Amino acid sequence: MRHPQSLVFWICLQCLIVSCFWPSGLWAEDAVIIGATQQQERFLTCVAQLSADELRDTPNSDQRLTVVILEHQKFLEMREGFHAHKTKLAFSSLQARRIYLTSLILGNFETLLFCITHELGHFETQSVYEDNAEFAAHRLRQRARQTCGSEVN
């Protein structure tokens, strides 16, 4: 007769060993969404997953992409800290693989779709230029409309 505790220990040990040698990029594909409702999180995760192939070989792609939704006043404070003075609704840190969104966009599907795909466009092109990001965002936006639905409230 086997002891259940030994079996559990053995399974946990194997998982730990495998996770140490598993390529970290496989774990990095899942975006982390902070500050969203469950429905908004599903939508944002879906859009981020659509861009995973394009982001796979970008700098810091071994780190997870994080989307942070902040109450508008906190967003404005964060924006000042990043010297992103021109933006009104969203900005990104390419080095930290982080996208910041104001909570003001959550009630409007079109605005949320525009902002998240535009910011992902910055990551795909690795460019701070708006035109470059928008070019990449256009393709992603079309795929997201077909795949991710439109329920975000």
Side-chain angles (χ1 to χ4, degrees):
M1 179 171 174
R2 296 185 100 171
H3 297 282
Q5 292 87 359
S6 311
L7 183 60
V8 170
F9 173 77
W10 180 245
I11 291 171
C12 289
L13 181 62
Q14 288 177 327
C15 289
L16 178 63
I17 291 169
V18 168
S19 69
C20 289
F21 295 103
W22 199 266
S24 61
L26 293 176
W27 298 98
E29 289 182 10
D30 298 329
V32 176
I33 313 296
I34 300 171
T37 66
Q38 201 171 35
Q39 203 169 15
Q40 294 159 350
E41 184 175 340
R42 274 194 306 271
F43 173 76
L44 292 168
T45 299
C46 177
V47 175
Q49 286 174 341
L50 289 175
S51 66
D53 286 338
E54 287 81 8
L55 302 182
R56 190 175 322 276
D57 296 324
T58 59
N60 302 317
S61 61
D62 59 330
Q63 299 174 20
R64 288 185 179 203
L65 175 72
T66 303
V67 178
V68 181
I69 300 167
L70 299 168
E71 182 273 327
H72 190 63
Q73 188 57 43
K74 292 286 184 196
F75 172 83
L76 295 175
E77 292 169 15
M78 186 68 75
R79 180 186 76 174
E80 290 303 311
F82 276 90
H83 305 288
H85 307 290
K86 293 181 183 178
T87 186
K88 291 180 172 53
L89 303 174
F91 68 93
S92 298
S93 170
L94 297 178
Q95 297 80 18
R97 287 184 61 85
R98 195 160 286 161
I99 296 172
Y100 297 93
L101 303 172
T102 176
S103 60
L104 294 180
I105 66 172
L106 295 178
N108 184 308
F109 169 75
E110 289 299 321
T111 305
L112 178 59
L113 178 64
F114 179 85
C115 288
I116 191 65
T117 55
H118 179 85
E119 295 307 317
L120 287 167
H122 281 294
F123 283 93
E124 183 180 331
T125 61
Q126 287 296 294
S127 173
V128 297
Y129 297 108
E130 303 304 322
D131 290 344
N132 296 346
E134 196 50 37
F135 180 77
H138 181 72
R139 292 188 316 269
L140 179 57
R141 209 170 281 135
Q142 289 175 326
R143 290 190 352 244
R145 284 184 198 284
Q146 296 168 348
T147 307
C148 299
S150 62
E151 296 297 321
V152 293
N153 293 331

